[in-house]
Amino acid sequence: MNTHITRILKEQKETFLNLYNLYLYDLSEFTGEDITEEGTFDPTNTYLYLEKKELHPYFISYEGKIIGFILVCSPPYVPEGIDYAIQELFIIKKYRGMKLAAEAVHWVLEQFQGKFKVEQLSGNQAAVRFWKKYYEVNGIHYSEEEDSIEIEGISGSHKVISQTFTIQGG
């Protein structure tokens, strides 16, 4: 495949935030988030991905076009005992179903080794199915928990499903 994963640079902030707004639009079905008066979703502190060395933002490109992103966090932005979290994974709809998200996850797991945590909103069954299929296809053994979380700026609590697993260097 012609998939490339590249670190998002500070000078690509506008492209990143625009794409992140599309991601929040997709998630609004599950979060109930509304747009701001400016007609966009509130990206809260998303810009921090471009400023903190413990946050690892990557664009996913296919055939030379940016089609999504994958965001990885490390301490102190992960729970105690966790080395990395794949915090967000997004592919624009046109490119879904082409295994490009799985390629991006595979790339991340080759770059970072340790104990991982991944969460999905339980109502986002497409995301839940994606991750369970990814684990099955790649022989990743994981433990799973359900919890409720608060999302900054959105009222109510949201049920999440989280998996933890370990990737060891080879």
Side-chain angles (χ1 to χ4, degrees), residues 27-80:
L27 283 184
S28 69
E29 175 181 356
F30 312 107
T31 64
E33 184 174 4
D34 288 315
I35 57 174
T36 65
E37 289 182 14
E38 293 81 30
T40 60
F41 290 90
D42 180 6
T44 332
N45 297 323
T46 305
Y47 68 92
L48 290 175
Y49 276 98
L50 306 177
E51 297 177 4
K52 302 289 185 182
K53 66 180 172 59
E54 302 88 359
L55 302 174
H56 313 279
Y58 299 98
F59 277 137
I60 303 166
S61 297
Y62 178 70
E63 295 184 346
K65 297 179 192 122
I66 295 172
I67 61 156
F69 56 79
I70 189 166
L71 307 179
V72 180
C73 302
S74 58
Y77 299 98
V78 296
E80 189 173 326

Side-chain angles (χ1 to χ4, degrees), residues 27-33 119-123 146-161:
L27 283 184
S28 69
E29 175 181 356
F30 312 107
T31 64
E33 184 174 4
E119 291 181 335
Q120 307 92 51
L121 291 166
S122 62
E146 291 189 35
D147 202 359
S148 289
I149 63 165
E150 305 278 328
I151 299 174
E152 187 177 338
I154 303 174
S155 63
S157 64
H158 302 273
K159 288 187 175 189
V160 293
I161 298 171

